[in-house]
């Protein structure tokens, strides 16, 4: 059974009632992220941790203060770097790359400035992680192999309100 990353007690109760389970001894419950990541094998030495990624973004923010239009006023905050890391992860999950963002145009100058600043940080992040694989990269890589070895299994996806483009791709592979 594949569930969202944040499974509430109410959802767990709902799941057990509607699937007709009285115990969970014969089933595996996993989040979609963990389920997808189990399908790929990456050497730990080639990974960059979440903290490492946040520190890298913090450094990028501070090294590019002269190039940033809108996002430079909070560049010294580590929590801000973490928020940008999460945003980059969501952009990757939605299959949006920094090249697309660079070409973004809007009559709203502040919005254009934010998108272009994010594109600069996103690009610098990808270049500076020097081939290391972060959590978002692993999720993207898993879309190529998640369905392998899953024939003749029942996989239930429950409790999701919405899916990103990458998550939908994983579900599509499983269905096919």
């Amino acid at each position: 059974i594949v569930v969202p990353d944040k499974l509430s007690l109410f959802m767990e109760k709902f799941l057990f009632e509607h699937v007709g389970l009285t115990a969970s001894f014969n089933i595996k419950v996993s989040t979609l992220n963990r389920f997808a990541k189990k399908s790929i094998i990456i050497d730990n030495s080639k990974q960059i941790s979440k903290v490492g990624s946040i520190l890298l973004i913090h450094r990028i923010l501070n090294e590019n203060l002269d190039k940033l239009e809108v996002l430079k006023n909070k560049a010294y905050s580590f929590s801000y770097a973490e928020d940008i890391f999460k945003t980059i992860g969501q952009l990757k999950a939605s299959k949006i790359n920094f090249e697309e963002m660079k070409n973004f145009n809007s009559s709203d100058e502040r919005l254009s400035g934010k998108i272009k600043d994010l594109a600069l940080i996103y690009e610098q992040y990808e270049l500076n992680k020097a081939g290391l694989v972060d959590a978002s990269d692993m999720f993207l890589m898993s879309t190529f192999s998640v369905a392998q070895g899953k024939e003749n299994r029942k996989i239930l996806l429950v409790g999701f309100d919405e899916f990103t483009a990458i998550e939908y791709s994983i579900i599509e592979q499983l269905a096919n």
Side-chain angles (χ1 to χ4, degrees), residues 96-103 118-120 122-123 126:
I96 298 171
N97 62 42
F98 57 82
E99 289 296 330
E100 293 174 88
M101 295 171 65
K102 283 180 174 180
N103 298 322
L118 268 173
L120 171 75
Y122 186 175
E123 178 179 30
E126 291 298 322

Side-chain angles (χ1 to χ4, degrees), residues 27 39 50 52 68 77-79 88 111 123 158 162 164 168 175:
I27 63 167
S39 68
K50 179 180 177 182
L68 298 173
S77 165
F78 282 100
S79 62
I88 289 172
L111 177 61
E123 178 179 30
V158 294
E162 58 188 36
T164 64
Y168 183 77

Side-chain angles (χ1 to χ4, degrees), residues 10-84:
F10 175 76
M11 177 51 76
E12 189 173 351
K13 180 179 178 286
F14 176 83
L15 169 68
F16 272 70
E17 287 174 356
H18 284 77
V19 178
L21 299 173
T22 56
S24 60
F25 297 116
N26 291 343
I27 63 167
K28 291 181 183 177
V29 178
S30 180
T31 66
L32 188 57
N33 280 323
R34 287 185 183 155
F35 178 73
K37 288 174 187 171
K38 283 181 186 176
S39 68
I40 59 171
I41 299 169
I42 296 178
D43 181 352
N44 282 335
S45 64
K46 294 180 182 176
Q47 295 180 35
I48 184 170
S49 68
K50 179 180 177 182
V51 172
S53 294
I54 293 167
L55 289 171
L56 177 58
I57 289 172
H58 186 264
R59 190 185 87 206
I60 291 166
L61 281 165
N62 289 298
E63 288 176 354
N64 290 284
L65 284 174
D66 59 328
K67 296 176 187 167
L68 298 173
E69 294 176 33
V70 180
L71 302 181
K72 64 181 164 188
N73 59 345
K74 296 183 180 179
Y76 295 104
S77 165
F78 282 100
S79 62
Y80 192 63
E82 183 176 8
D83 290 340
I84 290 181

